[in-house]
Amino acid sequence: MIKRGLVMEGGAMRGMFTCGVIDVLMECRIKVDGAAGVSAGAVFGCNIKSHQIGRPIRYNKKYSRDPRYCSFRSLLKTGDMFGAEFCYHTLPEVLDPFNKRIFKKNPMEFYIGATDVMTGRPVFHKCTDGGEKDIEWMRASASMPLVSRVVSIDGRKLLDGGVACPIPYRFLERRGYNRNLIVLTQPKGFVKKQVSMLPIIKLALKDYPALFRAMATRHLRYNAQINDIENMEKWGNVVVIRPPESLEIGRTEKNPSELERVYEVGRIETLKKLDEIKDFFGM
């Protein structure tokens, strides 16, 4: 039996590329049975389950310059560079509502990955209704270390899912997904380097040594995953959508034109792969 999966890497505002990808998939009625995302891949990718075409690019362009959304003011005032109250309550509940009804009704499975700061290992949550708990998992997955508060859920302390599991394709495979479309936000040939300023980071994370170790070795996991994915791609076991070159966008980019540019790259690259995706998915 074919189980079609969608895997979404993070990358902060490189996630606008992923927004372009999922919008084209929805417009072309390419459905998947399940999806897994981390960080930006989770908070933007969730809109495929609520079937809200254009929502993440729309609200990012409109509110990216709002200091409540992302700013050093928010970091100093709340402990979160991306303001938790604004991003995960005001925005999805009032300003650009997240369609919880469709999210709950859609049978597609949607998983979010986060990093357990006490163990440094990945943990996953299956979202069911888009309610408060699901939203908190989204916040946890996208909460970057050093500029975010630790998020406590179900007795765990969580942060950025991209630290422990940058690309959660094996997670979906273990759940029987055997036709996976993988969305990367770095171009082919990209090699991640070890995070800089390790002594300072170690001091800042003195209460979470396992998280520090996970951050210090993240580049090794990422590069190994990319090598694995490229081998699977070569043998036709997965389809990969990636930028043709570096997106050259800041992690907290606020310029709507830049956000739109990266979004359009995602759309273009997906349209190029449309026939391949349909054939791969047996459509």
Side-chain angles (χ1 to χ4, degrees):
M1 184 180 74
I2 292 177
K3 286 189 73 174
R4 305 174 183 92
L6 174 66
V7 180
M8 294 170 284
E9 179 185 6
M13 286 307 176
R14 293 199 312 275
M16 290 296 100
F17 177 86
T18 304
C19 295
V21 174
I22 64 172
D23 277 0
V24 170
L25 294 179
M26 287 189 281
E27 289 165 3
C28 295
R29 299 185 179 183
I30 294 178
K31 296 182 179 180
V32 295
D33 302 300
V38 296
S39 195
V43 297
F44 299 152
C46 65
N47 290 276
I48 195 169
K49 182 169 167 62
S50 61
H51 201 76
Q52 290 179 277
I53 298 171
R55 179 175 176 268
I57 181 62
R58 180 176 65 239
Y59 74 68
N60 273 281
K61 288 172 65 177
K62 187 171 184 178
Y63 297 109
S64 60
R65 286 176 169 162
D66 191 315
R68 297 173 298 171
Y69 183 78
C70 176
S71 65
F72 282 105
R73 181 195 306 179
S74 175
L75 177 61
L76 293 172
K77 186 176 180 179
T78 69
D80 293 304
M81 180 167 280
F82 285 86
E85 182 63 30
F86 185 81
C87 292
Y88 299 100
H89 294 285
T90 304
L91 205 162
E93 293 170 9
V94 180
L95 299 177
D96 199 325
F98 183 62
N99 196 326
K100 297 179 183 178
R101 182 183 66 83
I102 297 298
F103 187 93
K104 183 177 181 179
K105 186 178 178 181
N106 190 340
M108 183 188 81
E109 295 182 326
F110 191 81
Y111 296 94
I112 288 174
T115 300
D116 187 319
V117 302
M118 304 308 294
T119 66
R121 297 181 62 81
V123 289
F124 287 87
H125 167 73
K126 181 180 178 180
C127 296
T128 56
D129 59 6
E132 183 176 349
K133 187 172 183 178
D134 288 351
I135 296 297
E136 278 295 279
W137 270 90
M138 293 179 196
R139 179 165 81 93
S141 184
S143 291
M144 297 182 289
L146 307 180
V147 293
S148 307
R149 291 173 294 167
V150 170
V151 180
S152 297
I153 309 174
D154 295 335
R156 296 182 182 272
K157 295 182 176 182
L158 307 173
L159 281 176
D160 187 355
V163 173
C165 185
I167 312 165
Y169 62 102
R170 291 299 185 196
F171 173 81
L172 274 191
E173 285 181 352
R174 289 194 296 270
R175 274 147 190 81
Y177 288 87
N178 50 17
R179 293 286 190 278
N180 291 318
L181 173 62
I182 301 176
V183 182
L184 303 178
T185 58
Q186 295 285 11
K188 195 164 188 175
F190 173 79
V191 177
K192 185 177 283 295
K193 298 178 181 178
Q194 188 176 52
V195 65
S196 59
M197 302 183 296
L198 281 178
I200 295 174
I201 294 174
K202 186 175 184 178
L203 181 63
L205 298 178
K206 63 182 185 300
D207 294 332
Y208 305 112
L211 176 63
F212 168 73
R213 289 192 295 271
M215 289 184 66
T217 57
R218 180 182 184 179
H219 65 297
L220 301 176
R221 282 188 301 283
Y222 183 87
N223 294 334
Q225 285 188 328
I226 290 296
N227 184 65
D228 192 25
I229 288 169
E230 289 183 356
N231 284 330
M232 290 193 297
E233 183 182 22
K234 186 186 305 181
W235 289 102
N237 297 328
V238 298
V239 171
V240 180
I241 301 177
R242 56 167 71 81
E245 57 188 9
S246 176
L247 293 171
E248 298 295 335
I249 188 170
R251 295 183 67 80
T252 59
E253 180 62 62
K254 300 177 183 299
N255 185 337
S257 296
E258 281 296 285
L259 300 176
E260 179 71 27
R261 175 184 65 82
V262 171
Y263 169 79
E264 288 298 331
V265 176
R267 291 187 61 89
I268 291 168
E269 294 306 307
T270 308
L271 287 169
K272 288 179 183 177
K273 293 252 185 179
L274 210 51
D275 288 340
E276 182 183 353
I277 294 167
K278 288 178 179 180
D279 288 344
F280 182 67
F281 279 166
M283 293 180 170

